[in-house]
C-alpha cells in the first residue's frame, strides 16, 4: 500500500495528540451531560474509535450513512440518508463526528435535518477541514486540522474504498487516480 503514497501530510502521532486534546475539551464541555456521538459512515469510524476513548464521560454512539447526490468529486448539498440513527435524539446533546469538511454542503444539510428533531444541543467535530473549498459557512466547534486543497486518504478516509487503514493522513501519487479528476 505504501508505494501508492506520495507524502504523509499528518503523521499518526500528531493525529493522536490532537484527538486526545479534543477529547479532553469535549470532556470539559459536556461534564454532567451524556453526549451522543453521531458518527458519519464510513470515513469517521476510525476517529470515532479513538476520540471516544479520550472522552472521560459516559457517552453513547450512533451511526448515520449518507450519500451526497452529485458528481464523484463535488457534492451537490442534497443528501440522501442511507442509514438513519437508531436513537431518538430529541432532548439529547448530539455531537456529529465527521472525517472531513470540504464544501460544507453535506454537513450543513445534515445539521438542518438533525436540528428538526429537536436535540438539546448539536455541535460538530471534524478531524479535517479544507477551508479554501468552503461554499457554505459552517461552525465546527471541534476541529483537528486544516488541510490544503488536496485529496487525502488514510485514518478512515478512502479512495474508491481503499486506504482507510493507513495510520497516517496521506496524499496519493497522481498516477493512482488515472485522470479521474481528483487532482
Ligand atoms: P462536502 O459536502 O463538505 O463537500 O463533502 C464532505 C465529504 O466529501 C466528506 O465526508 C468526504 O466523504 C468527502 N471528501 C471531501 N474531501 C475529501 C478528501 O480529500 N478525501 C476523501 N477521502 N474524502 C473527501
Amino acid at each position: 500500500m505504501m508505494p501508492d503514497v506520495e507524502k504523509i501530510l499528518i503523521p499518526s502521532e500528531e493525529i493522536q495528540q490532537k484527538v486526545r486534546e479534543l477529547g479532553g475539551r469535549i470532556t470539559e464541555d459536556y461534564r454532567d451531560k451524556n453526549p451522543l456521538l453521531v458518527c458519519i459512515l464510513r470515513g469517521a469510524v476510525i476517529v470515532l474509535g479513538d476520540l471516544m476513548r479520550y472522552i472521560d464521560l459516559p457517552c453513547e454512539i450512533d451511526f448515520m450513512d449518507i450519500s451526497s447526490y452529485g458528481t464523484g468529486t463535488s457534492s451537490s448539498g442534497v443528501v440522501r440518508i442511507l442509514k438513519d440513527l437508531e436513537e431518538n435524539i430529541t432532548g439529547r446533546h448530539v455531537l456529529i463526528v465527521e472525517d472531513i469538511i470540504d464544501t460544507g454542503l453535506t454537513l450543513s444539510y445534515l445539521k438542518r435535518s438533525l436540528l428538526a428533531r429537536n436535540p438539546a444541543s448539536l455541535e460538530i467535530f471534524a478531524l479535517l477541514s479544507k477551508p479554501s473549498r468552503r461554499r457554505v459557512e459552517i461552525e465546527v466547534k471541534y476541529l483537528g486540522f486544516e488541510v490544503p486543497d488536496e485529496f487525502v486518504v488514510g485514518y478512515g478516509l478512502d479512495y474508491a474504498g481503499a486506504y482507510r487503514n493507513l495510520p497516517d493522513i496521506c496524499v496519493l501519487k497522481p498516477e493512482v487516480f488515472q485522470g479521474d479528476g481528483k487532482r
Side-chain angles (χ1 to χ4, degrees):
M1 196 151 49
M2 287 307 275
D4 290 348
V5 170
E6 182 172 270
K7 64 178 176 204
I8 292 176
L9 210 56
I10 311 170
S12 74
E13 303 75 43
E14 236 178 276
I15 301 171
Q16 287 303 319
Q17 197 181 348
K18 180 62 81 176
V19 175
R20 189 184 311 122
E21 176 198 317
L22 292 171
R25 267 183 54 202
I26 292 167
T27 303
E28 292 302 312
D29 294 351
Y30 287 85
R31 182 93 36 223
D32 301 322
K33 299 187 174 114
N34 173 17
L36 178 68
L37 310 181
V38 169
C39 173
I40 309 305
L41 295 170
R42 300 171 198 171
V45 290
I46 307 278
V47 70
L48 173 83
D50 283 340
L51 178 67
M52 68 185 295
R53 284 177 290 177
Y54 292 125
I55 298 178
D56 188 15
L57 289 175
C59 66
E60 291 164 35
I61 58 172
D62 204 345
F63 298 87
M64 249 180 136
D65 195 2
I66 57 182
S67 99
S68 173
Y69 291 106
T71 65
T73 51
S74 65
S75 61
S76 61
V78 179
V79 171
R80 191 158 54 109
I81 296 177
L82 301 176
K83 183 214 167 293
D84 205 343
L85 298 172
E86 304 290 328
E87 303 294 326
N88 175 1
I89 62 165
T90 304
R92 297 292 310 263
H93 292 281
V94 175
L95 179 60
I96 298 175
V97 178
E98 177 63 300
D99 51 1
I100 184 165
I101 306 182
D102 189 27
T103 62
L105 291 167
T106 306
L107 265 190
S108 78
Y109 183 92
L110 195 63
K111 195 174 169 189
R112 254 180 290 136
S113 122
L114 293 185
L115 277 175
R117 305 181 194 184
N118 295 315
S121 67
L122 181 65
E123 300 291 352
I124 294 173
F125 169 104
L127 179 68
L128 304 173
S129 170
K130 286 182 189 169
S132 63
R133 298 255 312 160
R134 200 73 85 250
R135 285 176 55 195
V136 285
E137 263 312 304
I138 181 127
E139 195 199 322
V140 182
K141 185 150 187 197
Y142 306 99
L143 175 65
F145 304 92
E146 290 192 345
V147 290
D149 183 12
E150 286 190 276
F151 191 81
V152 295
V153 298
Y155 194 69
L157 290 125
D158 75 312
Y159 171 61
Y163 308 107
R164 293 191 198 276
N165 55 328
L166 289 173
D168 313 295
I169 303 222
C170 305
V171 175
L172 294 173
K173 289 183 177 156
E175 56 264 34
V176 177
F177 300 104
Q178 288 174 336
D180 74 352
K182 292 274 181 200
R183 296 186 62 182

